Amino acid sequence: MIPAPSRRTLLAGALAGLSVPAATASSAQAALAPRPNFLIILADDLGWGELGIQGQRKIATPAIDRLAAEGVRFETAYAGAPLCAPSRCSLLTGLHAGHATVRDNPAGSPQGALVENDLTFAEVLQMSGYRTACVGKWGFGPELPGQPSHPNERGFDEFFGYITHRHAHQYYPRYLWHNAGKVAVTGGGYAPDLFLRRAVDFIKQPSDKPFLLYFPTNLPHAPSEVPGNAGRYKDKPWTRANRRHAAQVTLLDSYVDKLVAALRESGKAANTIVLFMSDNGPHHEKGVTPALFDANGPFRGDKRDLYEGGIRVPLIAWSPKMRSRVETRPVAYWDLLPTLADLAGVPVPDGIDGRSFRRMLNGGDGPDHDHLVWNRPRKAQAIRRGRWKAIRFAPGVAGAGPEGRIELYDLDTDLGERKDVSSDRPELVGELMELLDQSIGDDPRRPYGLRMTASGDRVTVTLVNGSAVTWRRVRLALNLPRGRKVISRQEAAELAPGEEISATFRVPGHGVITGSAAFRTGSRRHTFRRAYRHQRSLV
């Protein structure tokens, strides 16, 4: 359960008769040093070993290899789960699958959904002044607008793509979603191509705001469909599925090349951090044979497995300002939210499992994780602490008996997880299982950020300090339609972690209004903003 914060409530007077033009500037620190743009490219079922720079010999990935050679390549990056929905939930919310809202893929059950209490990295950046977009596969249901699991409700100003996991299996769909509505796809449009065009347009759009572009493509997920034939692979002595899978990976590589080119052409590359990653290990669906490509590299297992091949994934960070290096220390996808907040100069939410790896980008300290945890409810769980990794299988899963089975591996000497040493170290197994059990449970987060609610002609703006540091010189205000600001404000000298402050304003009429909160942490100034359609749904 999310703990309730202590409350400091202030009531603003009736709407003042005077108002002033709304400010257009974001937080003051943006005037001192431009905050970075973020381009996050998430591949779907791309194995650790399917990149040339990580040993791939059959599939060409020159653009991604170049990014890795010029940037930071993480050799020990872990997905949040060995399959789609829980891995993406972990990536977006900073929680591992023992705490996250979505912990498994749908299997004959409704599509997993995010909830109102979820806080994504997009919401954190959007509140702080970023323009945000999600283009591609969202992967959470339901297919309805205006509900808490829709991308527009979880911090993305713009969404274009598939809502649900199953819809994303259609490379030539009849429709896609654009924000709150469906749009028809005519002329046999190939969805990944449509996503690329929209992403390039977003990058090139003129704006004085920094941007976050989350590009979760459905390549190279099954089925192995590409426009035309299999390109350079059409004459390979492989099955049709394998030829086209290879073509999917190389097509994805060409998209990466075009996205980086758009950054350069728009003059934004120098101030953009690109992160390339995959949601889990390689798939073996609809005729694809990962062993043909050595898709999991030196690791055992693939998609759905908690062996390294299912959860160890590509992760590359690139910016023209970065020095080329290979990072071997572990990072996990739940580290992304705090890392983006840290890079953007935004207070990092408290109570999440993730830790910022910002310093690692320049060779500094990494996240101080004591252990890493994975959880597939009713199937298997895993924990890594230092060199040791244990996997616990539920009864009847993967050949386990009625009491289940526990395996233990020393990753320093057995990276391929071939020698189970659980019988040699029963005390260590016991310690790890106790720690694993302690790590799986309810959502540990604090509420965080700016919220708005309405009742009749009154609108309440609430700021919740969900970080671990005190926010000082807090001011709340409300901006009215047509660029006018309510003069009445409420202030507090400081807002301790877990505290909240509210101001209630009387607002005549209807339309989009914007609440704002200004505060300081140390010498840094912050402004959070949130828009609300008065007497309608949040926008």
Side-chain angles (χ1 to χ4, degrees), residues 15 45 55 73 99 123 184 216 268 353 367 391 423 480 501 526:
L15 178 64
D45 293 357
R73 179 167 65 91
H99 288 147
E123 290 176 270
K268 297 174 182 177
D353 298 309
I391 306 174
S423 61
L480 298 177
I501 181 173
H526 308 272

Side-chain angles (χ1 to χ4, degrees), residues 78-127:
Y78 285 107
L83 65 176
C84 174
S87 183
R88 291 161 192 258
C89 183
S90 179
L91 181 78
L92 286 161
T93 64
L95 298 175
H96 61 58
H99 288 147
T101 300
V102 179
R103 304 185 186 186
D104 209 349
N105 258 20
S109 59
Q111 174 75 55
L114 302 182
V115 297
E116 192 65 49
N117 287 338
D118 278 312
L119 178 75
T120 69
F121 57 66
E123 290 176 270
V124 173
L125 296 180
Q126 182 191 57
M127 277 190 291

Side-chain angles (χ1 to χ4, degrees), residues 266-313:
S266 61
K268 297 174 182 177
N271 196 44
T272 299
I273 296 173
V274 178
L275 293 169
F276 177 86
M277 55 187 68
S278 176
D279 62 347
N280 47 250
H283 74 79
H284 47 81
E285 297 163 356
K286 297 189 180 298
V288 172
T289 312
L292 171 67
F293 305 108
D294 201 15
N296 55 5
F299 309 115
R300 177 183 180 183
D302 43 36
K303 181 179 179 179
R304 297 183 178 85
D305 292 326
L306 286 176
Y307 296 114
E308 294 289 285
I311 55 177
R312 181 101 57 119
V313 286

Side-chain angles (χ1 to χ4, degrees), residues 77 144 161 185 234 275 371 399 421 459 461 516:
L144 295 170
V185 177
K234 63 184 178 64
L275 293 169
H371 57 280
V421 296
V459 173
V461 180
S516 65

Side-chain angles (χ1 to χ4, degrees), residues 143-490:
E143 274 199 297
L144 295 170
Q147 44 83 20
S149 193
H150 190 282
N152 291 151
E153 305 296 326
R154 297 273 64 88
F156 291 102
D157 302 322
E158 178 165 349
F159 170 67
F160 178 61
Y162 309 100
I163 294 283
T164 66
H165 172 84
R166 290 189 179 93
H167 188 204
H169 294 175
Q170 300 174 23
Y171 279 97
Y172 295 91
R174 290 179 298 169
Y175 70 89
L176 292 167
W177 281 79
H178 183 220
N179 294 327
K182 294 179 180 180
V183 292
V185 177
T186 59
Y190 185 65
D193 281 346
L194 303 179
F195 299 152
L196 174 67
R197 291 175 208 161
R198 181 63 200 111
V200 168
D201 288 345
F202 180 84
I203 288 171
K204 292 185 174 182
Q205 180 180 334
S207 176
D208 59 357
K209 292 183 176 182
F211 71 77
L212 162 71
L213 172 56
Y214 175 48
F215 186 74
T217 178
N218 50 333
L219 290 170
H221 194 289
S224 301
E225 294 184 359
V226 288
N229 56 33
R232 68 171 68 191
Y233 309 104
K234 63 184 178 64
D235 295 323
K236 293 292 183 180
W238 309 334
T239 64
R240 183 180 189 275
N242 284 324
R243 289 194 298 269
R244 289 178 174 264
H245 175 78
Q248 284 182 314
V249 176
T250 297
L251 180 62
L252 169 61
D253 183 79
S254 74
Y255 289 175
V256 172
D257 192 44
K258 291 180 173 65
L259 290 169
V260 174
L263 291 173
R264 296 188 190 278
E265 292 164 6
S266 61
K268 297 174 182 177
N271 196 44
T272 299
I273 296 173
V274 178
L275 293 169
F276 177 86
M277 55 187 68
S278 176
D279 62 347
N280 47 250
H283 74 79
H284 47 81
E285 297 163 356
K286 297 189 180 298
V288 172
T289 312
L292 171 67
F293 305 108
D294 201 15
N296 55 5
F299 309 115
R300 177 183 180 183
D302 43 36
K303 181 179 179 179
R304 297 183 178 85
D305 292 326
L306 286 176
Y307 296 114
E308 294 289 285
I311 55 177
R312 181 101 57 119
V313 286
L315 174 59
I316 297 163
W318 177 89
S319 169
K321 299 177 182 179
M322 286 183 189
R323 290 182 297 174
S324 174
R325 52 188 298 273
V326 176
E327 178 56 67
T328 60
R329 291 169 292 179
V331 296
Y333 277 10
W334 50 95
D335 294 327
L336 184 62
L337 186 156
T339 301
L340 297 181
D342 198 5
L343 287 163
V346 182
V348 175
D350 194 27
I352 59 177
D353 298 309
R355 301 289 183 269
S356 173
F357 58 79
R358 176 180 64 85
R359 289 187 175 88
M360 292 179 77
L361 299 178
N362 293 315
D365 296 338
D368 57 346
H369 291 296
D370 175 75
H371 57 280
L372 303 173
V373 168
W374 296 268
N375 175 40
R376 292 200 65 196
R378 301 173 300 281
K379 296 179 179 68
Q381 298 162 327
I383 181 169
R384 175 175 178 174
R385 187 177 67 180
R387 64 194 292 177
W388 299 104
K389 179 181 170 189
I391 306 174
R392 178 168 62 191
F393 295 94
V397 173
E403 297 182 357
R405 184 178 73 250
I406 298 172
E407 299 173 0
L408 178 69
Y409 299 98
D410 180 354
L411 296 181
D412 279 2
T413 62
D414 182 22
L415 196 58
E417 294 170 295
R418 299 298 178 184
K419 184 179 180 182
D420 175 14
V421 296
S422 58
S423 61
D424 298 333
R425 303 186 68 99
E427 292 184 1
L428 177 58
V429 169
E431 291 175 16
L432 293 176
M433 291 304 100
E434 182 178 359
L435 188 56
L436 180 58
D437 289 337
Q438 293 170 355
S439 301
I440 296 173
D442 294 333
D443 184 342
R445 291 172 293 185
R446 298 177 186 266
Y448 177 101
L450 194 65
R451 299 175 179 175
M452 297 178 67
T453 56
S455 178
D457 64 350
R458 292 179 182 269
V459 173
T460 298
V461 180
T462 300
L463 178 69
V464 186
N465 181 355
S467 75
V469 299
T470 297
W471 298 353
R472 293 184 169 83
R473 298 175 64 179
V474 180
R475 296 184 301 168
L476 300 182
L478 192 71
N479 300 331
L480 298 177
R482 294 178 297 278
R484 300 177 68 81
K485 177 180 285 186
V486 176
I487 289 180
S488 300
R489 295 176 175 175
Q490 290 300 338

